[in-house]
Amino acid sequence: MTGPLDAVDPQISELISREAARRAGSLQMLAAETIATPAVRAAMGSVLADKYAEGYPGRRYHGGSDVVDEVERLAVDRAHTLFAADYVNVQPLSWALANFAVYAAFAQPGDQVMSLSLRHGGHQSHGSRANLSGRWFSVVNYEVRHDTEQVDYDRIRDMALIHRPRILLAGGTAYSRTWDYAAMRTIADEAGCVLWVDGAHVMGLAAGGVIESPVPYADVVSVATNKVMRGPRGGLLLARGEHAEALSRAVYPFLQGAPAMHSIAAKAVAFAESSTETYRRYARDVAALASDLADDFTARGLQVVSGGTDTHIGIVDVTPLGVTGREATRRLAASGIVVDKAITPFDRAAVSEGSAIRYGTAAITAEGITPADAPAIADLMMAAMTSDDAAVHADVAASVARLGASE
């Protein structure tokens, strides 16, 4: 049990090698993914993975925690510096658990929550009936405008003053525009509710100075450390100081036992790396590449939801090509380009089919693709989506491999 992986478990070793080869020969354009840095991966694979450290620094249930206390304090200090938040909790094992901690800290089952509709760019954990959030809480959804496909703050205010929710939630996973956090703060104050920003997708861009941070405006911000930020899979909470005790108790002991100390160490690494000019250049390129791709698709006759993007996400209506989002995704995958199928706001297509694709630019930027490559990528994607010919897909895949190899 002390040998190398390929000797101990050749099946898993071979599968890992296949996944590495798959990624190397294709464009990974999922909005929820980037690529962890070598230093982050080193921390994840460290001896810290063996340590059980239930509790918080200085108040652990288990002994032998002196070193991991220092690790967690360092991660918290670095997050304070990076995000300028009064309160930081680095223990959530995932972004979804960070979200559930927000509910636990501020609401009781049956309380009302206002959030962006799932069909208009929200997330399942914001009140879907398929999710705990939609079964335990009374959820009122706001939607984007028909004409701009962007959120309408006047409408949100009207709804908030009528419903007086316990929590007003800003954020989504298929909404490509920045939010007016100051406006949301004003609405929350008028309605007497907690303002929660789900910043899972955008806080990596905020860390890089590309978009405004919600931290000065929100009561609490939940973060994923692995979507744009090149950290480990995990969650993070940033909040005002007065919410420290409620959120700390919500994470532990209400939702979780011991934290993953190797992940917390990797988060600390990611926070340090995200404070560098190298990271800031990466974040700028992520957003610029997404915006340039949106412009290129528009120039090629496709409609981009909301007319473009301010983030790393683009949602493109592919119905003018005579395909569904699902079919376009299949054709792209056959050509070495990995995206998600999606629906558009007010989409009449079934969710299982969708009328759109959703792309993200964090992973390909991490691999060296630049905004200058946007026209070539758009051309390759159009070629793949407009043909069901295996030979065409093979040609596109070959071009994709050459594009990746040239970076």
Side-chain angles (χ1 to χ4, degrees), residues 103 113-116 126 142 167-171 179 184 196 198:
Y103 289 118
V113 176
M114 257 186 69
S115 63
L116 179 63
H126 300 172
Y142 53 89
I167 297 173
L168 175 61
L169 204 167
W179 292 72
M184 294 296 283
W196 166 21
D198 188 336

Side-chain angles (χ1 to χ4, degrees), residues 223-255:
V223 183
T225 53
N226 59 291
K227 294 190 183 296
V228 172
M229 189 179 301
R230 299 183 62 185
R233 293 185 63 84
L236 170 70
L237 288 169
L238 310 169
R240 294 184 170 185
E242 64 258 35
H243 305 312
E245 183 175 358
L247 286 165
S248 294
R249 290 181 179 275
V251 174
Y252 171 81
F254 187 78
L255 283 175

Side-chain angles (χ1 to χ4, degrees), residues 7-368:
V8 172
D9 196 328
Q11 288 177 290
I12 288 295
S13 180
E14 193 266 339
L15 288 169
I16 292 173
S17 296
R18 282 171 52 192
E19 172 63 7
R22 181 194 69 82
R23 296 188 68 96
S26 58
L27 294 178
Q28 303 302 304
M29 297 182 66
L30 299 180
E33 288 185 359
T34 190
I35 299 174
T37 67
V40 165
R41 289 182 180 175
M44 285 294 288
S46 72
V47 67
L48 296 178
D50 299 328
K51 184 68 188 108
Y52 208 84
E54 190 175 84
Y56 288 101
R59 296 176 287 130
R60 306 288 190 186
Y61 181 78
H62 299 276
S65 296
D66 292 350
V67 174
V68 294
D69 278 1
E70 290 189 47
V71 169
E72 185 164 342
R73 290 189 180 109
L74 185 58
V76 169
D77 287 346
R78 289 177 177 178
H80 274 301
T81 300
L82 181 62
F83 295 110
D86 296 333
Y87 169 79
V88 171
N89 194 311
V90 296
Q91 289 200 6
L93 298 172
S94 70
W95 156 51
L97 281 171
N99 284 357
F100 293 142
V102 176
Y103 289 118
F106 296 112
Q108 295 293 322
D111 281 353
Q112 197 160 78
V113 176
M114 257 186 69
S115 63
L116 179 63
S117 166
L118 179 62
R119 295 187 67 91
H120 288 231
H123 187 255
Q124 288 187 354
S125 64
H126 300 172
S128 166
R129 286 294 297 171
N131 185 266
L132 177 150
S133 58
R135 298 188 184 190
W136 281 22
F137 302 100
S138 175
V139 179
V140 176
N141 287 140
Y142 53 89
E143 298 180 343
V144 299
R145 291 171 56 105
H146 278 270
D147 54 350
T148 64
E149 296 180 319
Q150 298 187 39
V151 294
D152 182 336
Y153 296 98
D154 291 335
R155 177 60 176 156
I156 293 172
R157 178 180 181 274
D158 291 343
M159 292 177 65
L161 293 178
I162 292 170
H163 295 285
R164 303 280 174 172
R166 180 73 184 108
I167 297 173
L168 175 61
L169 204 167
T173 60
Y175 184 74
S176 63
R177 294 301 189 173
T178 53
W179 292 72
D180 186 339
Y181 297 121
M184 294 296 283
R185 177 74 264 167
T186 298
I187 293 167
D189 288 341
E190 285 188 75
C193 56
V194 170
L195 176 58
W196 166 21
V197 174
D198 188 336
H201 276 272
V202 300
M203 287 305 290
L205 296 174
V210 176
I211 63 172
E212 184 179 27
S213 171
V215 168
Y217 305 98
D219 288 282
V220 60
V221 181
S222 55
V223 183
T225 53
N226 59 291
K227 294 190 183 296
V228 172
M229 189 179 301
R230 299 183 62 185
R233 293 185 63 84
L236 170 70
L237 288 169
L238 310 169
R240 294 184 170 185
E242 64 258 35
H243 305 312
E245 183 175 358
L247 286 165
S248 294
R249 290 181 179 275
V251 174
Y252 171 81
F254 187 78
L255 283 175
Q256 296 183 181
M261 294 310 306
H262 60 309
S263 179
I264 289 176
K267 291 174 187 177
V269 172
F271 300 151
E273 292 184 322
S274 298
S275 301
T276 65
E277 180 56 32
T278 298
Y279 178 86
R280 286 187 282 272
R281 286 197 301 270
Y282 153 79
R284 289 194 294 269
D285 280 351
V286 167
L289 178 54
S291 180
D292 288 352
L293 278 172
D295 291 343
D296 288 332
F297 283 123
T298 301
R300 287 157 176 77
L302 298 183
Q303 180 180 347
V304 177
V305 170
S306 80
T309 178
D310 303 317
T311 65
H312 63 297
I313 298 171
I315 301 97
V316 185
D317 186 339
V318 296
T319 53
L321 304 179
V323 294
T324 64
R326 181 178 182 180
E327 176 61 16
T329 300
R330 185 192 69 79
R331 293 181 181 185
L332 287 164
S335 305
I337 302 171
V338 183
V339 301
D340 291 313
K341 67 176 174 63
I343 58 174
T344 62
F346 314 105
D347 204 330
R348 295 183 179 181
V351 173
S352 60
E353 293 292 330
S355 296
I357 60 169
R358 181 183 72 154
Y359 68 80
T361 54
I364 59 174
T365 301
E367 290 183 322

